[in-house]
Amino acid sequence: MLALINDLLWGKVLIALLIAVGIGFTLASRCVQFRYFGRMFRILSASQAFKRDRHGHLSSFQALLLSVAGRVGGGNIAGVAVAITLGGPGAVFWMWVVGLMGMATSFLECTLAQTYKTAEPDGTYRGGPARYIARGLGRRWNWLAGLYSVLLLATFGFAFTALQSYAVATSFDDAFGIPARYTGLGLALLVGLIVFGGVKRIARVTEVLVPVMAGGYLLIALAVLALNVTQLPDVIGLIVKSAFGLEPAIGGGIGAAIMMGVKRGLFSNEAGLGSAPNVAAVAYVPHPVNQGIVQAFSVFIDTMIICSATAFIILLGGAYDPAAGAGIDGIALTQASLADHVGEWGRSFVSIALLLFGFSTILYNYYLGENSLDFFSRGNRTLFNAFRLAIIGLCTWGAMTDLGTVFAFADTTMGFLALANLIALTMLFKPGLRILRDFDGQIRSGVTQPIFDAERFSDLNVDPTAWEIEPEDRERVRRSTAAATTEA
């Protein structure tokens, strides 16, 4: 039954919706992910990106690293290997397509999450799909917001936490001979020490961990590319040809390449799932579009850089035979491929990278689960503490359990999660475009740092207490806009 549902969701429904939302918003926004690509770097290099307001909210940069911590996980190492094994090298091409279109989807969902975020009594923010569904679509859609929260809790809070623990434990067992139960217990202890400190402690940890883990992995990938630079054009040609069924010797065909590329691409970068908006909403930014741009960049980091690094490590190595298949798959294929390039220590390096990726993703999954619970019971500390204990237990259980059924269950719940979010995004296209046009208009008026004036968007049911801006800033933007209008 799970296989039948997954085939329907991933083979037909979600592919159509992902293409419709990704391409549709790309065209409607005049290619926002490419128009503002350079601005992604300017936003992150500006002092504003590191600013916490007087309430101590997370900075835009911290929110970026926290979302990268979630996007960059086992899917970037094991997931890419699975995609290549089952869909052939052409799956990498479709993963790139999903990534580029997913940048627009992520921009839309994260901009909406910022727009509809709510201020909590303790001065923090909460937001995400459940809130932009409830506030943006109105009371009659509260059932969809509730359903989304339940699916988010089941998928990320529970299933994906166990899966990350399983991937880390099996990798350490293969590389170092450490029994899975010991890895699971160690992981549970580390996770417990951090999650009881809340989202701010998680953000401080990821602020250090993410640059180290991503930077180290990319350095190894660059070394592999340098060692095999003469073969690189042939590998790129193989990816493109097999993506369109022009390499008959490669099994799977174009259908498998597309399905695995879309499925594993979404699993890796999560654009359209609605997971990243839960984190994007927490940041302090002067305008929702700022965080939309930053989160579009996190999809680029995940898919176009880190997933590509894994793909090239595999396809430039000797462990994978495009004609015959791999013989091994998942994390073992990535380990064998890197070992083929740099020696046996490559297996250990992949295991350590997976530990860091998996650890950061578990922290991210915890926050998503907490945000889901908060939608039903605002700030219930007892419930949060019980959930934290459950996460610690899942880290231990997941490491020691055969998770074949859990994988299938997670694919199914993730499919329904994406379906609910993508339906909401299509219905919130107009508000998303309206917020973007406000940002565009201020840029054209000469405003270097656009400000979101919630008073002008009261009809959208935004929370004005989440968008407190200084009177002089509001007046500065209004003067600039009025002057530009008069000149026009």
Side-chain angles (χ1 to χ4, degrees):
M1 179 61 72
L2 287 176
L4 183 64
I5 294 171
N6 282 335
D7 286 343
L8 177 63
L9 275 175
W10 293 104
K12 296 179 178 65
V13 178
L14 286 178
I15 287 179
L17 272 175
L18 281 168
I19 291 171
V21 174
I23 295 179
F25 196 76
T26 295
L27 296 175
S29 66
R30 297 181 294 117
C31 300
V32 64
Q33 70 269 48
F34 306 126
R35 277 198 295 125
Y36 283 134
F37 190 80
R39 194 173 183 87
M40 296 174 189
F41 299 96
R42 291 198 297 276
I43 289 174
L44 291 174
S45 62
S47 60
Q48 187 73 41
F50 302 90
K51 180 180 178 181
R52 301 172 181 85
D53 74 349
R54 63 182 181 274
H55 298 298
H57 298 131
L58 299 191
S59 69
S60 181
F61 184 70
Q62 284 182 312
L64 169 69
L65 291 181
L66 187 52
S67 65
V68 170
R71 295 187 201 272
V72 177
N76 297 82
I77 299 178
V80 173
V82 170
I84 291 173
T85 303
L86 300 180
V92 178
F93 176 86
W94 297 110
M95 197 178 292
W96 288 339
V97 172
V98 166
L100 291 174
M101 293 302 101
M103 289 173 72
T105 305
S106 187
F107 172 91
L108 173 61
E109 62 185 359
C110 292
T111 297
L112 289 170
Q114 269 287 331
T115 302
Y116 290 104
K117 68 184 178 184
T118 57
E120 299 294 290
D122 63 356
T124 59
Y125 297 138
R126 289 282 182 179
R131 282 171 175 77
Y132 62 64
I133 291 170
R135 298 184 73 91
L137 297 181
R139 285 183 176 274
R140 69 176 185 274
W141 290 97
N142 277 351
W143 66 271
L144 184 61
L147 176 62
Y148 182 89
S149 292
V150 170
L151 289 170
L152 186 67
L153 179 64
T155 305
F156 285 90
F158 295 123
F160 282 180
T161 296
L163 294 179
Q164 291 291 343
S165 178
Y166 173 80
V168 170
T170 52
S171 174
F172 261 55
D173 191 17
D174 178 68
F176 305 111
I178 299 175
R181 62 180 177 275
Y182 295 131
T183 302
L185 287 170
L187 198 59
L189 177 62
L190 287 173
V191 168
L193 290 172
I194 295 169
V195 298
F196 274 94
V199 67
K200 292 180 182 178
R201 184 181 294 176
I202 293 172
R204 286 195 295 270
V205 171
T206 55
E207 201 169 14
V208 175
L209 181 61
V210 170
V212 171
M213 73 180 191
Y217 191 68
L218 289 177
L219 282 176
I220 287 294
L222 288 172
V224 169
L225 290 176
L227 291 170
N228 300 275
V229 67
T230 57
Q231 300 175 45
L232 196 55
D234 292 335
V235 168
I236 293 174
L238 176 67
I239 290 171
V240 175
K241 288 178 182 177
S242 59
F244 296 96
L246 302 178
E247 289 285 342
I250 296 176
I254 186 172
I258 293 173
M259 189 171 81
M260 290 308 303
V262 171
K263 189 175 180 179
R264 290 302 145 192
L266 177 59
F267 178 82
S268 174
N269 66 48
E270 300 179 10
L273 277 182
S275 52
N278 292 273
V279 174
V282 178
Y284 171 77
V285 291
H287 197 286
V289 168
N290 276 60
Q291 197 62 16
I293 293 170
V294 167
Q295 292 299 328
F297 185 54
S298 74
V299 174
F300 183 86
I301 293 171
D302 175 272
T303 306
M304 305 306 295
I305 297 179
I306 298 180
C307 282
S308 296
T310 300
F312 285 123
I313 287 172
I314 293 170
L315 296 176
L316 288 167
Y320 173 73
D321 181 355
I328 51 176
D329 58 15
I331 186 65
L333 175 57
T334 308
Q335 288 177 310
S337 298
L338 188 57
D340 186 62
H341 292 294
V342 301
E344 282 302 306
W345 68 269
R347 295 180 188 274
S348 301
F349 178 86
V350 171
S351 295
I352 293 170
L354 187 64
L355 169 64
L356 296 178
F357 286 10
F359 177 63
S360 67
T361 303
I362 288 172
L363 298 181
Y364 171 82
N365 290 347
Y366 160 76
Y367 178 71
L368 297 184
E370 181 188 284
N371 210 35
S372 298
L373 291 174
D374 186 76
F375 181 76
F376 295 108
S377 56
R378 300 287 290 272
N380 188 319
R381 293 293 122 194
T382 302
L383 188 60
F384 286 175
N385 287 332
F387 178 59
R388 289 162 182 162
L389 292 174
I391 289 292
I392 294 170
L394 282 168
C395 288
T396 307
W397 174 79
M400 300 182 291
T401 307
D402 181 2
L403 296 176
T405 303
V406 177
F407 268 101
F409 171 74
D411 271 350
T412 303
T413 55
M414 182 172 68
F416 282 117
L417 192 71
L419 182 62
N421 187 53
L422 289 167
I423 290 171
L425 291 180
T426 59
M427 299 174 72
L428 289 169
F429 244 55
K430 287 185 177 179
L433 286 172
R434 182 177 165 190
I435 301 300
L436 174 58
R437 286 172 186 143
D438 176 67
F439 186 88
D440 288 339
Q442 292 187 48
I443 293 291
R444 285 194 301 271
S445 301
V447 179
T448 54
Q449 180 51 72
I451 301 292
F452 184 70
D453 187 351
E455 291 180 6
R456 297 177 54 219
F457 297 91
S458 57
D459 60 306
L460 294 185
N461 194 28
V462 299
D463 180 4
T465 59
W467 290 103
E468 295 178 356
I469 60 176
E470 300 299 330
E472 59 269 23
D473 288 335
R474 180 184 287 111
E475 186 58 33
R476 172 176 54 82
V477 170
R478 287 178 174 175
R479 281 200 307 268
S480 298
T481 305
T485 303
T486 302
E487 288 177 12

